[in-house]
Amino acid sequence: MIEDKNQSHTKISDLGEFGLIDHLTKNFKITQSSTIKGIGDDAAVLNFDDKQIVVTTDLLVEGVHFDLSYMPLKHLGYKAVVVNLSDVYAMNAKATQVTVSIAVSNRFPLEALEDLYAGIETAANIYNIDVIGGDTTSSNTGLLISVTAIGEVNANEEIYRTGAKPDNLLVVSGDLGAAYMGLQVLEREKAVFKVNPNSQPDLEPYNYIVERQLKPEARKDIITLLKDLEVKPTSMIDISDGLSSEIIHLCKQSDVGCDLYEDKIPLDPQVISTCEEFNIDSTTVALNGGEDYELLFTVSQADFPKIKANPNLSIIGYMKEAKEGMHLVTRADSRIPLKAQGWKNFNA
Ligand code: ADP
Ligand code: MG
């Protein structure tokens, strides 16, 4: 669907590996004081003084995690960085550097990799991080991209999944289910395009949900907001797999239970209308959709006045004793045990 017939096609082999790396990374600037040496030697050199370091990595595989028929490479580069930064913020840390490794088949011209790196550069500029290295190799089939993100956090300021206590409030940033519904729309338009290649999809009515799928943001702003509000969550996780499975992670790792209120789950109007159009239950989508990259955290009841009126935050439930279990309290006031359905990758 998204193709540019005017683009030129320079063979990667014309540049050679070192020429390619140099070409792709020549614009990257160093802005973090902790980066002593970035790209160009056998290893990067970092100095964090007395800070603690967090490290996280993700591997994205074409055909498993992304589909290039509707994912522009520029967005893919952006998203590959952002999903890693989201994990750094979920530790209550400041993201500072990333490394980017790619495996590419000869199906990709240089111009495609330039697009990928333009997205990486945009993310680096917006989130103020340095790209300090990576690896480049060939692949016999599709594209693989692996990003490792590094961040810093003062001792005792990191937030784990393990600190939730009974009676804590369960809070989520933003809204849920949009990335999954955006994917449903893109998959539908791809199927239409296969039958009729001249069709031009009108994605305007779905702009928000499609953007949430193709160009997600990490909630750096929420980490800043919580600091400004002087709220320190007792536990935190980012929502990559769906609300349900992330709540279960918090509960199991903190040894607590939970009541989640269906009517408190934040949904964008476009998610509700698209769910109606696809005849899918919006609660199911929020619980199991995934890829929302919002932050899910628990706070003590004493913090309620500081967060209750904030438009970026929704209180969606309460933590309980572990023996009381994990439940969804429905609009009809029935209690349904939470299940981790997920939907990704390993579900045949
Ligand atoms: P080595 O032979 O030690 O693996 P490389 O020639 O692969 O070194 O890399 C040279 C420099 O370029 C290193 O600083 C490395 O981190 C960086 N680099 C290699 N590939 C990439 C890439 N795809 N993106 C960003 N930096 C890269
Ligand atoms: Mg190398």
Side-chain angles (χ1 to χ4, degrees), residues 17-18 20-22 24-25 28 37-44 98-104 116-117 120 131-137 146:
E17 186 191 332
F18 302 121
L20 175 67
I21 297 169
D22 190 50
L24 292 176
T25 62
F28 290 131
K37 174 77 190 179
I39 291 168
D41 213 305
D42 295 316
V98 295
T99 63
V100 179
S101 297
I102 52 174
V104 209
L116 182 76
Y117 268 73
I120 291 167
V131 180
I132 54 159
D135 202 16
T136 309
T137 184
S146 176

Side-chain angles (χ1 to χ4, degrees), residues 258-275:
C258 177
D259 272 358
L260 166 69
Y261 289 85
E262 182 180 20
D263 63 342
K264 304 290 185 202
I265 297 174
L267 300 170
D268 186 85
Q270 229 173 66
V271 169
I272 296 171
S273 61
T274 313
C275 281

